[in-house]
Amino acid sequence: MNIKILKISVPIVAVAALAYLIFSPSRYVGYSPDQPIPFNHKIHAGDNKIDCKYCHTGVENSAHATVPPSSTCMNCHGAGNVAGNQEHVKWLKAQYDSNTPVSWVKVHDQPDFVYFNHSRHVQRGVDCSTCHGNMAEMVKVRQSKSLNMGFCVDCHRENNAPNDCSTCHR
């Protein structure tokens, strides 16, 4: 008798736990890993009004926004004119000079079974802050939106965007 209950209850509890982990709206909200250097979006995107697309060059024509290469940073910091005396800028320049890429930690990530195309959203006028929050106010990058399935489906419904499974799952 007890074995029958276990055979039924264990899979139900496991499915419920998995569903909670996948669809919980607060699972990743607030995620803010330490980065190799303290890159400050508030200074760059906020105070200096550098457009997201200047650094994240692939966002308009690629599925991925792309993490900027060090050469993009060196456009301003390379000659030492901009914040050249700060330790993290010196470290970045040393990385660039030695042709060593910076190992940034991804903050906004989707599971492998989700297909998200940045260019489709940008080309349709979706502002970066819709999904990423107000980056121009972030000293340290954090995930401010859940980016779970419900978040995306709600947005697609509100904007009359395709809502069938194959839109995001391939």
Side-chain angles (χ1 to χ4, degrees):
M1 184 78 145
N2 288 337
I3 292 177
K4 277 187 176 181
I5 293 172
L6 282 176
K7 285 183 179 180
I8 294 170
S9 62
V10 168
I12 290 172
V13 170
V15 168
L18 184 62
Y20 173 78
L21 290 173
I22 292 172
F23 298 111
S24 172
S26 62
R27 182 167 181 216
Y28 298 108
V29 173
Y31 177 62
S32 182
D34 289 333
Q35 298 291 351
I37 58 172
F39 182 85
N40 186 331
H41 274 83
K42 185 176 183 322
I43 289 173
H44 293 82
D47 300 346
N48 293 314
K49 308 232 183 297
I50 299 171
D51 190 312
C52 303
K53 293 174 267 189
Y54 177 77
C55 299
H56 300 280
T57 56
V59 75
E60 291 181 295
N61 52 25
S62 171
H64 306 286
T66 66
V67 173
S70 299
S71 60
T72 301
C73 307
M74 291 301 109
N75 289 337
C76 298
H77 295 292
N81 302 351
V82 179
N85 60 339
Q86 293 186 10
E87 287 305 313
H88 59 272
V89 174
K90 290 178 184 176
W91 180 86
L92 180 66
K93 186 165 178 2
Q95 296 294 107
Y96 175 75
D97 289 343
S98 67
N99 202 26
T100 305
V102 177
S103 298
W104 298 106
V105 179
K106 195 167 189 172
V107 177
H108 300 89
D109 201 8
Q110 291 294 315
D112 290 341
F113 58 84
V114 174
Y115 174 76
F116 179 85
N117 187 319
H118 272 91
S119 66
R120 285 177 128 173
H121 290 81
V122 171
Q123 289 171 7
R124 285 171 176 77
V126 177
D127 188 70
C128 302
S129 65
T130 303
C131 300
H132 295 288
N134 188 353
M135 298 301 288
E137 292 298 319
M138 290 188 199
V139 173
K140 184 178 180 188
V141 176
R142 72 183 177 289
Q143 185 168 327
S144 61
K145 311 283 179 138
S146 69
L147 304 182
N148 66 5
M149 185 174 168
F151 175 84
C152 298
V153 169
D154 287 347
C155 186
H156 276 230
R157 285 182 183 148
E158 291 167 11
N159 294 288
N160 295 318
N163 221 6
D164 58 286
C165 299
S166 65
T167 300
C168 303
H169 302 285
R170 306 224 166 129

